[in-house]
Amino acid sequence: MIKQIVCHELEKSFEGDSTKTIALKSTNLSFQKGEFTAIIGPSGSGKSTLLSLLGTLDKPTKGHITYDDENILSKRKSHIADFRFQEIGFIFQQFHLLPTLTSLENVLTPLFSRKVSYNKLNRAKEVLEQVGLKDKLQSLPSQLSGGQQQRVAIARAIIHKPSWLLADEPTGNLDTDTGERIYDLLKSLNEQEDCGVVFVTHDPLLAAKAKRIITMKDGVVLSEKAGFSS
């Protein structure tokens, strides 16, 4: 279980045909397991880039990230993939559910090629019940509302009980009431499972409910402050 993630002078740039875009600049941040952190800022501020780096989906151009003092991204690809599976759950704005699979089957997809110590089917049913979808196990995505589809995506993210949940605009495609219910679900998981949550959002009202708020603009961290729940 990874208890701390630390960013050391992180920078991420992207090379175009004749241009270079710096998406993240000299970023120094630390995240603690069990903490609920919201990252807020306009489009292009570097929020999603930072989340991709934290989740080992991408590598920084400069600087490095340590996970309990270990530089995981310096390891071989298979080691990074195993680490990601063990420690990190991802939730995105787009639900990324496979349309021909049921809720139960979608939740099982991260385990298809993995050997685990528990019964896969029982665990999938358990997490779907945990997110309030006990009666939707055999439903296809087309038979679910947007909020229900996001709950399936959350169940998929927590099936292996990760230390960290990284949520990139998880309420962006939902109406206000449904978005608040999804936020409350993530907050509940944070408290019950003691997982670290990093929640990227455009919504200042949701961000304000977090324990800690990081504000970004143009690839730079502008401020860090406590939220209402601290």
Side-chain angles (χ1 to χ4, degrees):
M1 288 289 183
I2 297 298
K3 295 181 179 179
Q4 184 182 54
I5 302 176
V6 182
C7 304
H8 306 265
E9 291 292 321
L10 279 194
E11 182 174 303
K12 182 63 180 180
S13 59
F14 300 94
E15 300 282 351
D17 291 338
S18 58
T19 60
K20 178 181 178 181
T21 302
I22 301 178
L24 201 64
K25 305 171 185 176
S26 300
T27 299
N28 294 283
L29 289 168
S30 64
F31 301 88
Q32 307 297 324
K33 186 174 180 289
E35 189 177 59
F36 194 112
T37 300
I39 302 179
I40 191 166
S43 295
S45 60
K47 307 184 304 297
S48 295
T49 299
L50 175 59
L51 211 66
S52 292
L53 295 174
L54 292 175
T56 72
L57 291 176
D58 203 355
K59 293 185 177 183
T61 309
K62 294 181 182 178
H64 63 281
I65 306 173
T66 54
Y67 302 82
D68 287 351
D69 297 323
E70 186 177 5
N71 186 358
I72 297 295
L73 288 171
S74 67
K75 309 293 184 181
R76 64 185 187 276
K77 288 183 179 180
S78 61
H79 184 97
I80 296 171
D82 288 343
F83 171 85
R84 189 185 305 125
F85 171 72
Q86 293 284 346
E87 299 289 346
I88 297 171
F90 291 96
I91 305 159
F92 301 98
Q93 180 175 351
Q94 306 295 335
F95 314 128
H96 297 303
L97 301 180
L98 296 173
T100 59
L101 299 186
T102 65
S103 299
L104 190 62
E105 291 165 339
N106 266 292
V107 170
L108 282 166
T109 53
L111 305 182
F112 282 167
S113 62
R114 293 280 177 176
K115 291 183 179 180
V116 293
S117 60
Y118 49 82
N119 182 284
K120 295 180 181 182
L121 191 59
N122 288 345
R123 177 63 62 81
K125 291 178 178 178
E126 175 188 315
V127 293
L128 279 165
E129 182 174 358
Q130 193 173 355
V131 301
L133 292 178
K134 183 179 180 180
D135 59 339
K136 300 293 184 182
L137 302 186
Q138 301 305 322
S139 299
L140 296 171
S142 60
Q143 298 170 316
L144 301 173
S145 68
Q148 288 171 332
Q149 290 184 63
Q150 190 61 291
R151 285 173 180 268
V152 173
I154 292 170
R156 180 182 58 197
I158 65 173
I159 191 166
H160 199 59
K161 297 189 181 299
S163 305
W164 297 83
L165 281 177
L166 305 183
D168 192 359
E169 296 280 3
T171 64
N173 283 339
L174 306 173
D175 61 71
T176 300
D177 289 344
T178 305
E180 288 182 355
R181 287 196 291 272
I182 292 297
Y183 177 92
D184 290 342
L185 173 59
L186 292 175
K187 186 66 176 174
S188 176
L189 290 169
N190 165 246
E191 294 168 352
Q192 293 172 13
E193 307 293 339
D194 193 38
C195 58
V197 176
V198 183
F199 179 86
V200 165
T201 182
H202 279 98
D203 188 335
L205 296 178
L206 287 181
K209 295 165 67 176
K211 182 177 181 180
R212 174 189 179 206
I213 306 165
I214 296 171
T215 302
M216 298 184 67
K217 185 178 180 181
D218 297 331
V220 175
V221 174
L222 296 181
S223 67
E224 294 184 59
K225 64 180 182 180
F228 293 156
S229 67
S230 60

